[in-house]
Each structure stands twice: as structure tokens, then as C-alpha cells.
Amino acid sequence: MAALSSTSATLSSRVSFHCGGGSHTSSSSSTNNNNTANNILRPTKQSSFGMSSLILRFPPNFVRQLSNKARRNCSNIGVAQIVAASWSDKQGQSSFSAAESKALNASASAAAGITAPQTGEDASCENGTVNGINGSVQKIDDNVYRPAFLKDDGSIAIHAGERLGRGIVTDAITTPVVNTSAYFFKKTADLLDFKEKRAISFEYGRYGNPTTVVAEEKISALEGAESTLLLASGMCASIVMMLALVPEGGHIITTTDCYRKTRIFIETVLPKMGITATVIDPADYAGLEAALVNHKVSLFFTESPTNPFLRCVDIELVSKLCHAHGAVVCIDGTFATPLNQKALALGADIVLHSATKYIGGHNDVLAGCVSGSMEIVSQIRNLHHVLGGALNPNAAYLIIRGMKTLKLRVQQQNSTAQRMAEVLEAHPKVKHVYYPGLKSHPEHHIAKKQMIGYGGVVSFEVNGDLETTIKFVDSLKIPYIAPSFGGVESIVDQPAIMSYWDLSQSERAKYGIMDNLVRFSFGVEDFEDLKADVLQALEAI
């Protein structure tokens, strides 16, 4: 290691490394032997500053020429580059002497513990031909390699670096985005093994993606589920779930307070398939039992907490009642998040989320997910494969990234919402506050039993009419006036305008949506800043 340190010091003072025209060192590992490396790496001529600037030009299949041992051991970038070549320059003399070059290679190789691969190891490079994966790569000149069976540049542009196998990045900290619409099989026998279920593989982008699978497994782990399916949006997840689990002529039970688009689907689309619905108050357990007795119920579906009044159902009780009559229970836990509430552990069969909200958490992605047993999720997955609505792998990457800070975000949002709900409830210009963390909430006792935190959304009614409420909203400086919730940025809206403006005032009132209702989604801004902003906006009305 002393020799390596000395070598590194020499390098740092005499050489600047470049790879592919960039200004940073390459992360490639060592070559198999020095002769091979001489054909791969070319130092540039003396620079105007009197320094030798070595430009490392690695062919596309360079990594595949390395032995497994070299890849494992050569974690130091500088060492990898030293071992990669004995420095020589046919265009001009290198600034290293022969003795220095020999010392560099010898000391680096010893430090990395690298030996040339034996027969049968990854690849050999002799006489300009690299025996690679699934074929051969022909060396055209000192720096260019191409698949031997490809002659035309157009074909090379399509297949070089990929068709003969490629590096699979398994040690990257972040999950790679796999942007592909289809997956290939190396031979028909592999395809037959897959079709006859002797092997597992990806096949078509609508049926699955490696990046998406990582996000699904992360959600399953949080929910304690056997399986999770990610779809293009929360509504897509809800619709595919209902269509998969409710047969023609079936019956659904749902609750009065819910996302409006879900209600529209249940009231206008499902009847075309002969599917009927009973709508009950979230606390009407007698009504639930009556509907279970009077109908052949396939599914009980509700949000908990609900949108926008944050009503809560007793998930344990509802699950027992429904299971006694053979009905499946699905809880939309979007407002709760997988951290604040474990619906499956409480007895539900499925938990659904609009991952657009807290799971993604940055107001930059659309996604929905369903989690539950392998048996039930497989039914939903099979229909999903027919209908489409697949999540883009770039969106899956954003979900993965967002989930890494889920706990930090939700803890802050729980705390801010609870404290702001208490501030609002005590304010003379606020008529009523809806938040399950308050003792005044009708289902506070249920929320306290089944939730760890109460979420980041607070709904409330100000003292005033539509115009007064508009003035309050417009006086706020921090939150955006927008739909959605659960992101790092605070968002505020008037449901009467944002979601129900197409209905008359009296029609809105049937759903409890009054003109003075405000839904406030608290982000991760500082509590004192948010409090000051809300108070000054209230003073403005």
C-alpha cells in the first residue's frame, strides 16, 4: 500500500485523467493484461501547460473484458486506471519513464490483488478479437470494437454495446430507470421455459418493469402485503380494482364522503354493467349490516380518512362484518399513508393509494397502487394487463426517490397539521375544523385506535360566504392554489370551486360542500412560517 500511495502521489502531480472527453476519472476496472491495455488507452500529446493529459478511451465492451476478480477488487478509481494500461504514446513520448510505468503497473496490480484471468474466465483478447458474451467482437483499429456479424453502421448503432450482453448495475445506490417497452429472450428454449412457467422473466412493458418492481416491493414492505401493483394513477387503480373484483350484476357498498371522481364512476359507469351500490355514512354500521344482508355484496370500498371531511371508519369492525358475508374490503389509505395506518393489519383485504400524494410526495408524479394478498392482487393484475394503464418507469423512479424521505415528510406534516388544527379551532374567524386528531372530530376515538398520526390535511370552514373565503385563500402567501395534496409544498383549495363548481350551490350542499369550506394540505415548510401566513390571511377577512 505504501507503493500505491507513492504512485498515486506521482500521478496526481503529473497526470490529468479524462474519459470520453470529460474532466473526471473513469470508473472502469483494470484490463486483463498490459498488452491489451496498450491497444485500448491512448495518452494525448503534451499539453500547452507542459503536462501529459491522458485521455482514456474505453471501448463499449471494455468492462466485459475484465475478470470478475478484477471487478470486485478494483474499487479505487485511480488504481483501476493505473492497472488498465502501461502508459505509452505512439503519437508522442509519455512523460513517464519506462521505470515509472513499470512501477506504476506493478504496485497497482499488487495493491488491487489482480491477476490475469485463466482459461474459461470472462473473456480473452487475442489478435484483435474479444470473445465476449453470446458472440464475438471484432477489433477494427486500436480503439474501435464491433460485433463481428454486423457490417453496416446503421446495424451497429442499433446493437453495439447491447446485443452481446451489457453490464448490469447492481451496486448503484439509486435504482436505474429501465426505459424499455419489451424484453428479449436469448433463444426460443428460454421463451418456452417462461411460457411454461419453468422460468421467471419480463416479457412486455405493460406486464412489468424492473424499476417498477422495486417501487412495488417497497410499498409491499411498508404495508405488510404479499403483493403490490402500481398503475398509472390513483383513479386507474380504483377503477381496475373494482372491475376486477365485482362481477356483472354485483353490488358495492361505499360511503357518502369520498373523492368525487370515484363517486362519479360508481354512480354512472358501473350501472351500465348491472353493478349497483349502497351508499352509507362512514359511521353507519347498522346500515352496513343491512346492506350486507339484503344484497350479495362483492366489495366494501371506502377512504379512511375520507376526502374532504377526513371521516374515519373502524377498519377492524368493518372487516369482520364484511368477511362474515363474503365481501372483500378495500380501504383507500391515501390520506393516512402507509406510515400512519396499516389497513391490512387491521383486517382489510386491500389497501389502495393515490401514490401521487404522500408516497411520491413532491407534486411531480402520477401513480396509483393496490396492495394485498397475492391471490387478490393477481386478479387485479391480470385485468390491468388487458386494460393497460401501465406506470412509466421514470414515474416509478420518482416514486422510489420520494419514498426514501416518506417518514421525514409525514412526521413533519403530521406535526404541523395537528398544531395548525388546534390553532384554527381556537380562532374566532373559523367556524369549524375537520381533523381526526382533534377531540371534536366525530371519529377521533377510532382514529386514535387505528392511526399513529393523523395526516397533513386539515379541512375547515371560515366565517363567511364564497367571496369571503376567496379573499382568505387569495391572501395566503405560502400555499399554492391547486388540486392534490401530500407534497412537500403546501396546497390550498376551495372544494366548492376546485371540485364542485359545475354543480349548483344547493347540489353541492347535498354532499356537505359549503362555499366557505377550505382544504389545506400542509407541506414541510416551517410551522411558524405557515402559522403566521394563515393568521395574517384570517385577519384579512
Side-chain angles (χ1 to χ4, degrees):
M1 291 305 292
L4 180 59
S5 299
S6 174
T7 296
S8 299
T10 302
L11 279 174
S12 63
S13 64
R14 302 189 63 176
V15 180
S16 63
F17 291 98
H18 303 271
C19 182
S23 60
H24 298 286
T25 58
S26 167
S27 60
S28 286
S29 238
S30 88
T31 57
N32 294 335
N33 54 59
N34 294 336
N35 291 332
T36 301
N38 286 333
N39 291 326
I40 296 172
L41 302 168
R42 288 275 176 256
T44 63
K45 291 183 178 182
Q46 193 87 351
S47 73
S48 59
F49 297 98
M51 299 177 65
S52 175
S53 178
L54 300 180
I55 300 180
L56 309 186
R57 297 188 181 93
F58 298 102
N61 63 334
F62 176 68
V63 174
R64 295 196 298 276
Q65 298 174 36
L66 310 183
S67 69
N68 283 328
K69 185 174 182 181
R71 292 183 218 175
R72 286 194 301 268
N73 293 342
C74 212
S75 59
N76 182 289
I77 293 175
V79 172
Q81 292 170 331
I82 295 166
V83 178
S86 59
W87 308 111
S88 63
D89 189 354
K90 294 181 181 178
Q91 302 176 39
Q93 293 299 316
S94 169
S95 60
F96 291 109
S97 68
E100 286 175 323
S101 297
K102 184 176 181 180
L104 287 170
N105 288 301
S107 60
S109 297
I114 296 172
T115 59
Q118 303 301 313
T119 303
E121 289 191 25
D122 281 6
S124 62
C125 185
E126 297 177 1
N127 301 321
T129 300
V130 178
N131 296 320
I133 301 172
N134 297 334
S136 63
V137 181
Q138 181 70 39
K139 186 179 76 172
I140 304 306
D141 58 35
D142 284 343
N143 293 309
V144 179
Y145 289 77
R146 69 197 296 172
F149 59 88
L150 298 179
K151 306 303 180 185
D152 182 76
D153 284 348
S155 300
I156 291 168
I158 294 170
H159 293 295
E162 295 180 305
R163 185 59 183 270
L164 298 183
R166 68 204 75 175
I168 304 300
V169 182
T170 58
D171 54 357
I173 291 177
T174 56
T175 296
V177 180
V178 182
N179 275 317
T180 186
S181 58
Y183 306 84
F184 69 88
F185 296 85
K186 293 178 181 177
K187 53 186 182 298
T188 303
D190 294 340
L191 173 58
L192 288 171
D193 285 342
F194 167 70
K195 289 296 184 181
E196 295 177 6
K197 304 188 185 305
R198 292 188 296 270
I200 297 174
S201 176
F202 291 97
E203 180 187 9
Y204 186 59
R206 196 170 75 247
Y207 307 150
N209 176 279
T211 309
T212 304
V213 166
V214 172
E216 289 173 340
E217 290 180 351
K218 200 178 289 289
I219 295 169
S220 289
L222 280 178
E223 291 289 6
E226 290 181 354
S227 182
T228 291
L229 172 64
L230 271 166
L231 302 94
S233 69
M235 272 308 299
C236 182
S238 297
I239 289 171
V240 176
M241 181 274 300
M242 285 187 268
L243 292 179
L245 300 182
V246 183
E248 182 180 0
H251 194 83
I252 289 178
I253 301 175
T254 190
T255 54
T256 50
D257 190 34
C258 68
Y259 179 51
R260 190 184 175 201
K261 292 300 189 293
T262 304
R263 180 187 294 114
I264 288 173
F265 178 76
I266 292 172
E267 291 177 348
T268 64
V269 179
L270 289 184
K272 297 176 183 179
M273 305 172 192
I275 297 172
T276 54
T278 296
V279 182
I280 62 172
D281 184 90
D284 187 5
Y285 301 110
L288 172 61
E289 286 191 277
L292 289 167
V293 170
N294 296 328
H295 302 276
K296 185 173 177 55
V297 178
S298 303
L299 176 71
F300 173 80
F301 177 45
T302 187
E303 302 158 10
S304 187
T306 60
N307 181 17
F309 294 109
L310 304 163
R311 300 287 302 275
C312 299
V313 301
D314 188 328
I315 299 173
E316 185 175 11
L317 176 58
V318 163
S319 298
K320 289 179 179 177
L321 293 173
C322 290
H323 291 162
H325 293 270
V328 172
V329 174
C330 178
I331 300 296
D332 183 333
T334 301
F335 276 83
T337 81
L339 298 184
N340 285 333
Q341 181 175 275
K342 305 291 186 183
L344 298 180
L346 291 166
D349 301 292
I350 312 165
V351 59
L352 183 147
H353 292 277
S354 171
T356 305
K357 312 305 191 294
Y358 288 101
I359 290 178
H362 289 77
N363 293 318
D364 60 3
V365 63
L366 288 175
C369 63
V370 288
S371 303
S373 68
M374 184 66 72
E375 179 184 1
I376 292 178
V377 174
S378 292
Q379 294 179 54
I380 303 169
R381 192 185 302 275
N382 289 338
L383 181 59
H384 164 64
H385 290 172
V386 174
L387 297 178
L391 186 70
N392 186 283
N394 294 280
Y397 173 84
L398 293 175
I399 295 295
I400 294 167
R401 184 211 60 182
M403 289 183 68
K404 292 176 188 283
T405 59
L406 178 62
K407 183 175 181 180
L408 299 175
R409 291 186 283 105
V410 169
Q411 284 179 331
Q412 173 75 3
Q413 289 163 310
N414 285 345
S415 174
T416 297
Q418 178 70 44
R419 295 165 72 185
M420 282 305 309
E422 294 168 0
V423 169
L424 288 165
E425 191 172 47
H427 200 282
K429 292 187 178 181
V430 175
K431 183 177 180 181
H432 192 83
V433 180
Y434 305 92
Y435 187 68
L438 295 177
K439 293 180 179 179
S440 58
H441 191 277
E443 283 87 43
H444 173 68
H445 62 291
I446 295 173
K448 188 175 180 180
K449 178 180 69 172
Q450 66 188 24
M451 298 182 74
I452 297 170
Y454 305 111
V457 176
V458 178
S459 294
F460 54 97
E461 295 170 353
V462 299
N463 282 326
D465 56 11
L466 182 71
E467 293 301 324
T468 302
T469 309
I470 289 173
K471 186 176 182 181
F472 164 74
V473 170
D474 288 349
S475 297
L476 292 164
K477 295 180 174 62
I478 293 177
Y480 293 96
I481 302 173
S484 196
F485 60 89
V488 292
E489 298 92 355
S490 290
I491 284 178
V492 67
D493 77 87
Q494 261 177 284
I497 298 175
M498 185 66 72
S499 302
Y500 291 85
W501 194 241
D502 59 312
L503 300 181
S504 67
Q505 188 180 48
S506 60
E507 288 173 322
R508 294 196 296 267
K510 292 177 183 178
Y511 298 108
I513 306 298
M514 311 309 293
D515 289 346
N516 61 345
L517 179 65
V518 175
R519 191 184 71 173
F520 203 124
S521 170
F522 291 99
V524 298
E525 300 95 346
D526 179 73
F527 167 74
E528 293 298 335
D529 286 342
L530 287 166
K531 177 183 174 182
D533 190 31
V534 171
L535 291 179
Q536 67 82 23
L538 286 171
E539 289 303 312
I541 62 175

